[in-house]
């Protein structure tokens, strides 16, 4: 999708963000999960992952991430997501049939602006 829309500069970041969110869903939910990638405006993409676990993790608003978590061998993925994404968030999914609840974690990233020869940023 990103190649088709000329967003080559977002491929690595979007791939990293998607990988971290899907890994989080795999590790912390016992049910289904899914990935969605969509445009979110000019030169912007939103990566969203739904999973069946309703608990929203600390970096996304579910509490405060402790320093020991940042230094641990595991548990740094969502902090990495926050550092690489332009914006992020989460929302619970309630109701519906069994297995249809849970949450969605989403992140957005933007094509970085380019600089002209004088070092000024130009709109992409």
């Amino acid at each position: 999708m990103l190649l088709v829309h000329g967003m080559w500069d977002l491929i690595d970041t979007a791939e990293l963000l998607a990988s971290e969110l899907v890994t989080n869903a795999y590790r912390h939910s016992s049910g289904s999960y899914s990935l969605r990638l969509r445009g979110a405006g000019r030169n912007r993409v939103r990566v969203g992952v739904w999973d069946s676990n309703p608990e929203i993790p600390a970096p996304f608003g579910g509490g405060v991430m402790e320093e020991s978590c940042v230094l641990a061998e595991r548990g740094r993925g969502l902090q990495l997501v926050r550092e690489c994404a332009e914006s992020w968030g989460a929302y619970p999914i309630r109701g519906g049939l069994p297995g249809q609840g849970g949450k969605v974690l989403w992140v957005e990233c933007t094509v970085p602006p380019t600089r002209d020869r004088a070092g000024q940023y130009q709109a992409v």
Side-chain angles (χ1 to χ4, degrees):
M1 174 192 159
L2 297 175
L3 284 176
V4 172
H5 293 284
M7 292 190 237
W8 304 281
D9 293 338
L10 283 182
I11 292 172
D12 291 339
T13 302
E15 186 177 276
L16 171 68
L17 296 172
S19 174
E20 291 297 340
L21 292 180
V22 168
T23 298
N24 186 67
Y26 174 77
R27 295 187 119 180
H28 299 288
S29 68
S30 59
S32 301
Y33 53 92
S34 65
L35 169 71
R36 181 176 182 188
L37 183 70
R38 69 177 183 87
R42 183 180 168 107
N43 298 315
R44 191 173 189 86
V45 67
R46 178 177 277 203
V47 177
V49 173
W50 164 82
D51 69 54
S52 59
N53 180 349
E55 185 176 324
I56 295 176
F60 283 80
V64 177
M65 187 170 201
E66 296 178 19
E67 189 68 25
S68 61
C69 294
V70 175
L71 300 175
E73 271 189 48
R74 291 181 145 184
R76 296 180 309 215
L78 293 180
Q79 185 64 34
L80 178 65
V81 166
R82 287 185 62 180
E83 291 176 17
C84 294
E86 292 286 322
S87 57
W88 58 86
Y91 53 90
I93 305 292
R94 292 185 172 77
L97 299 172
Q100 290 183 337
K103 68 176 172 299
V104 172
L105 300 182
W106 61 267
V107 294
E108 290 183 355
C109 53
T110 306
V111 174
T114 59
R115 292 183 186 211
D116 64 14
R117 291 183 186 181
Q120 300 296 314
Y121 285 106
Q122 301 294 312
V124 178

